[in-house]
Amino acid sequence: VRDGRSVAHSLTNIGFWDGWKGPDNWTFGQLPEKYRTEFNLSNQSYLVLAAIQWKLTLDALNNSRCKIAGDDLLEIRYEDFVEKPIQTLKIALNFSGLRSNKEFDSHINSIKLFNNNHKWKKGLSEEQAENLNIILNSHLNQYGYNEVQSLKP
């Protein structure tokens, strides 16, 4: 799980995101009515569509939780992974019934990871940031990203 504002900003900065085709032609299927309304009220903003994609993904995760035993689901937060990749991956390996080894640890240690959750603050206008805070509010709160953040100092 990652901050939805960061996800939306990242998606709109990659050319291969299939949201550029619009919600009638992307792989996420038709938008539920409430999300279609949000998209239309945003003047069909691609940034809002990317935010809706994040919400759709988390909605699907939440709908699946009731079908999966609690100990059969592992949730990893982006921030934990980039801050402590070895420890986080060892938890994931253990959860999966796999083991780490020195080669694995060495390879992971050779990869430099950076927490880029702040990039949206520099890459979006004040209006865009405010729109994301409003559109994503309930999902951000549900996943502990409840600080309404703006670009103002």
Side-chain angles (χ1 to χ4, degrees):
V1 177
R2 185 178 182 199
D3 186 318
R5 295 163 293 201
S6 295
V7 172
H9 179 253
S10 292
L11 287 172
T12 57
N13 280 287
I14 54 174
F16 58 86
W17 175 51
D18 79 336
W20 296 121
K21 300 174 194 172
D24 295 328
N25 298 304
W26 69 345
T27 57
F28 276 78
Q30 293 296 310
L31 292 176
E33 189 58 37
K34 64 182 179 179
Y35 293 157
R36 169 73 63 184
T37 299
E38 286 180 352
F39 180 62
N40 288 335
L41 288 174
S42 75
N43 293 319
Q44 300 187 346
S45 160
Y46 287 111
L47 181 65
V48 169
L49 185 59
I52 290 170
Q53 178 178 323
W54 181 74
K55 293 195 316 184
L56 287 168
T57 302
L58 293 183
D59 292 348
L61 173 64
N62 288 330
N63 290 336
S64 298
R65 284 181 198 273
C66 64
K67 300 173 185 163
I68 300 171
D71 57 349
D72 287 341
L73 179 67
L74 177 65
E75 185 174 292
I76 295 175
R77 294 179 67 84
Y78 168 84
E79 300 83 3
D80 296 335
F81 177 68
V82 295
E83 184 179 321
K84 298 177 182 176
I86 295 264
Q87 295 89 330
T88 304
L89 287 173
K90 283 186 178 182
I91 291 168
L93 288 169
N94 187 49
F95 178 82
S96 303
L98 302 170
R99 291 189 195 155
S100 179
N101 60 43
K102 289 180 183 179
E103 280 183 301
F104 178 81
D105 291 352
S106 176
H107 179 69
I108 297 305
N109 277 329
S110 73
I111 300 170
K112 301 299 177 211
L113 300 175
F114 302 96
N115 186 337
N116 287 315
N117 267 353
H118 63 281
K119 280 186 162 184
W120 68 270
K121 294 178 186 179
K122 292 182 179 180
L124 300 178
S125 71
E126 185 72 34
E127 180 182 2
Q128 289 173 317
E130 182 61 28
N131 286 341
L132 287 186
N133 282 327
I134 292 168
I135 289 166
L136 297 176
N137 185 51
S138 65
H139 285 71
L140 290 170
N141 284 330
Q142 181 179 357
Y143 284 89
Y145 298 105
N146 50 359
E147 293 179 25
V148 174
Q149 299 177 18
S150 70
L151 306 178
K152 295 178 183 175

